[in-house]
Amino acid sequence: MTASASIKTPQMTLPILNDVDDESADAFCKSVSKIIFSEFIDNVTVVETTGGNEEASRSYEIHMKFFDSKDYENEYDVNKTELEKVITNKFIHTLEAAIVKEVRKQRKTNNESMPTVGKAVAKSQTEAASYAKISNADDEDDATNDKLRTNTKQSVSYDGPDDDEVETMRKAEETDDEDMLDDSSESDKSEDSDDEGDDEIDVSTNKKFTGKSGDLSKEARARQQDVIVSHMFVSQFNFDDKEGQWCDFKLELSSETQKLLMVNIVEDVCRKVVVREVPRIGRCLHPEPENGKRILLTEGVNFAAMWEHEAFIDVNGIRSNDIAAVLKTYGVEAARNTIVYEINNVFGRYAISVSSRHLDLIADMMTREGSYLAFNRQGIDSSTSSFMKMSYETTCQFLTKAVLDNEREELESPSARIVMGKLSNVGTGSFDVMAAMPIA
C-alpha cells in the first residue's frame, strides 16, 4: 500500500435516490459523462487544391458528415445548435493550432536535414579551391621531405632571428588572428540570422471570401463572416441548419506550405475536442442493482461537482477509492473509514473474512499523523521507536540511522518490547501483580 496521491483508476460510487427512476438515472449518466467530438462523426472527406487564384495558395476543402441528429440527441443529449457552436468555437481553433504545429515540425525537419549554409561561392571557385588544397598538400609533403633531408645534412649550429625579424613575425601573427576573429564573428552573425529566420514560419495567406453567397441564407452568411473573421485560415464555412448532418469549410494556406496529411490531422483533432464534460470525470455507468441498491459509477473523482446534483443522488452516501481525495475533501476520519472499507471489499471479493480489529489497526497506522501514509518502511520511518522500525524491514539501515542520530528507545511499543524479550504492555502485560511477603 503505497498511499499514492493519484491512483490509476479513481472511481466514485453514487447512490441513487429512491424517488428517481431508471430513465432519469440514465439521463443523469449522459449529462455527466465526457463526450468527444469524434463520437458524432460518420465520415470526413478532404479535397486538396493548389493555385487557381490570383495569388497562389494551397487550400483544403473539408466535409464532415455526422450521424443522424435524432440519434446523437437521444444518445448524448446534444442538439445540432450545440454541435455547431463546438465546431466554430473549439474544433476549428484546435485544428488551426495543429496545422501550425505540423508546419513548424516540417520546417524543423527540413532545416536539420540540410547542411549548414555559409557564404555563397561560385562552383568554379570551389573546384579551384579543392584543386589548390590537393596541390598544397602535395607541396607540403614534398617540402617536409626536403626539410628532413636538409636537416640531416645541416650542421648543428643555427643562428636565431634577430629583433627586427621577431617584431615582423609578431605583427603578422596579430594580423592573422584579427582576420580570423572577423571571419568567425561574421559567420556567427549569419548563423544567428539563419536561426531567427527558421523560427519565423509563414503559414498565413491572404484570405479571400470565396463563399457562394447566393446559396446561403442571411443567417448562414452572417455566421460564415463571423467564422472567417475569427479564424486564420478559414475562407468558407457552412453548416446544415435543418438536419445537422454535415459541415463544410475551406482552409487556405500559403503556397510555400508543404503538403499536409490533413485527414490524419482532422482525425486527431476530432479525438481531442471535448463537446461536454465534468472536470476530472470520464464515463458514468449505471450497473445492475446489487443487493437491492441502485448506484452509479464514475471514472474519475469530483466531489464538488456531484454535490450540485442532490436531486438525483444521495450526496451523503458518496464513496470513492481515492483515499487522498477523500482525505482532502472530508478529513482524516473519513479517509480512515475508507481504508477499512476498501481493504475489506478486496478480501470480500475472494470470500475472505478479516477481523475488523486488524483493519482498524492498519487504518490507524496509515492515518496516525492526520495524513495518508504508506504502509511500508517509508511510512513507518516517522515512528519514534527504533526497534519497531528495525523489526519491520531493513534492520541494518534503521539501526545505523538510530546510532548516528543518537536516538533513545523507550520500549513503549509492543514490537520493541518483543525484541528485548519483554512482555507487551497491553492486556495482562499492562500491570504487575504484587503479593505481600510473609514477615519472618
Side-chain angles (χ1 to χ4, degrees), residues 372-396:
Y372 182 35
L373 299 177
F375 196 68
N376 52 24
R377 62 176 179 271
Q378 285 80 18
I380 208 174
D381 189 33
S382 60
S383 176
T384 58
S385 176
S386 301
F387 282 162
M388 185 182 71
K389 292 186 285 186
M390 283 186 278
S391 66
Y392 188 79
E393 278 183 355
T394 59
T395 304
C396 292

Side-chain angles (χ1 to χ4, degrees), residues 32 153 164 215 440:
V32 299
K153 298 178 181 179
D164 295 336
D215 299 338

Side-chain angles (χ1 to χ4, degrees), residues 186-282:
E186 291 178 359
S187 62
D188 293 339
K189 290 180 180 179
S190 62
E191 291 177 358
D192 293 339
S193 62
D194 292 339
D195 294 339
E196 292 175 358
D198 293 340
D199 294 337
E200 296 176 359
I201 299 176
D202 183 17
V203 295
S204 61
T205 182
N206 294 327
K207 297 189 301 183
K208 291 188 177 181
F209 178 75
T210 57
K212 299 178 181 179
S213 301
D215 299 338
L216 302 177
S217 62
K218 183 177 179 180
E219 293 80 5
R221 287 196 301 270
R223 179 182 57 200
Q224 178 177 242
Q225 186 63 28
D226 293 338
V227 173
I228 293 174
V229 171
S230 58
H231 296 83
M232 293 187 294
F233 306 137
V234 179
S235 61
Q236 293 182 18
F237 181 84
N238 194 9
F239 182 82
D240 184 11
D241 294 321
K242 295 182 180 180
E243 302 294 335
Q245 293 187 354
W246 54 264
C247 178
D248 296 334
F249 59 93
K250 184 176 182 181
L251 305 177
E252 289 192 5
L253 282 70
S254 172
S255 59
E256 299 177 356
T257 305
Q258 297 183 8
K259 180 179 178 63
L260 300 175
L261 299 178
M262 188 59 67
V263 175
N264 296 340
I265 297 175
V266 172
E267 290 179 352
D268 292 339
V269 173
C270 289
R271 298 187 187 99
K272 294 178 181 178
V273 174
V274 178
V275 177
R276 185 181 61 210
E277 69 171 339
V278 176
R280 300 189 301 279
I281 290 183

Side-chain angles (χ1 to χ4, degrees), residues 99-114:
I99 292 173
V100 173
K101 182 178 180 181
E102 185 67 22
V103 172
R104 290 180 183 275
K105 187 187 299 183
Q106 289 181 352
R107 179 64 62 85
K108 183 178 181 180
T109 303
N110 293 336
N111 290 341
E112 291 178 353
S113 61
M114 294 177 62

Side-chain angles (χ1 to χ4, degrees), residues 127-166:
E127 293 177 354
S130 62
Y131 292 146
K133 289 181 180 178
I134 295 173
S135 61
N136 289 336
D138 296 337
D139 294 341
E140 288 178 358
D141 293 339
D142 295 339
T144 304
N145 295 331
D146 293 340
K147 185 176 182 181
L148 290 174
R149 285 194 296 269
T150 55
N151 286 339
T152 55
K153 298 178 181 179
Q154 190 177 0
S155 60
V156 179
S157 63
Y158 175 74
D159 295 334
D162 56 10
D163 295 338
D164 295 336
E165 292 177 351
V166 172

Side-chain angles (χ1 to χ4, degrees), residues 280 301-304 307 322-332 334-335:
R280 300 189 301 279
V301 176
N302 190 338
F303 294 112
W307 293 340
D322 191 349
I323 311 298
V326 174
L327 174 66
K328 183 179 179 180
T329 306
Y330 293 103
V332 65

